[in-house]
């Protein structure tokens, strides 16, 4: 179970998080908690989830850095893409974690400001300036 806070109104690629979760329940047979976790994993940054890269961690007997290097050299991946693939392939080694409460609040504020800007066509600063 993830430790991030579920925020049903967060916009996830044009749809509210809760709407996405309810679709998974209806159409894919997920339980509600599993559906919410799936949405949070699909949009980890919105929910304050992070994973930390650790080059020395063992992934099925090989160092994570060696696996990433192989992907870079043999599949032409960027370093970031290679690291993400290794972390995705070994979720037990690289579990999702939660950012600090302050970081989560900052992200939620940014999300709300973006949503307000999409709805009104103005940024928060432009809206404040227009009121003066």
């Amino acid at each position: 179970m993830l430790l991030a806070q579920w925020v049903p109104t967060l916009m996830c690629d044009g749809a509210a998080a809760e709407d996405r979760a309810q679709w998974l329940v209806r159409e894919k047979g997920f339980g509600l908690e599993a559906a919410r976790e799936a949405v949070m994993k699909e949009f980890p940054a919105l929910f304050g989830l992070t994973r930390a890269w650790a080059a020395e961690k063992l992934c099925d007997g090989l160092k994570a850095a060696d696996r990433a290097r192989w992907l870079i050299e043999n599949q032409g991946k960027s370093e970031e893409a290679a690291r993400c693939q290794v972390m995705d392939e070994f979720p037990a080694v690289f579990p999702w974690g939660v950012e600090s409460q302050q970081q989560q609040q900052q992200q939620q504020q940014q999300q709300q400001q973006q949503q307000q800007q999409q709805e009104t066509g103005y940024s928060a600063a432009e809206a404040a300036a227009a009121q003066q």
Side-chain angles (χ1 to χ4, degrees), residues 80-132:
E80 182 179 350
R83 286 179 175 186
C84 286
Q85 183 171 334
V86 171
M87 290 189 288
D88 287 344
E89 290 177 1
F90 296 92
V93 177
F94 297 100
W96 288 101
V98 179
E99 295 176 344
S100 73
Q101 186 70 23
Q102 182 180 9
Q103 290 169 318
Q104 281 186 3
Q105 289 172 347
Q106 288 172 346
Q107 269 190 332
Q108 287 174 359
Q109 287 174 346
Q110 289 173 348
Q111 178 71 19
Q112 289 170 350
Q113 288 172 352
Q114 289 172 352
Q115 188 173 356
Q116 181 182 11
Q117 185 175 2
Q118 288 174 351
E119 291 171 357
T120 64
Y122 296 104
S123 70
E126 291 170 332
Q131 290 178 352
Q132 294 177 354

Side-chain angles (χ1 to χ4, degrees), residues 64-77 82 85:
D66 294 337
R67 289 185 174 276
R69 188 176 319 105
W70 187 90
L71 290 167
I72 293 165
E73 293 171 357
N74 293 288
Q75 293 190 356
K77 302 236 181 216
Q85 183 171 334

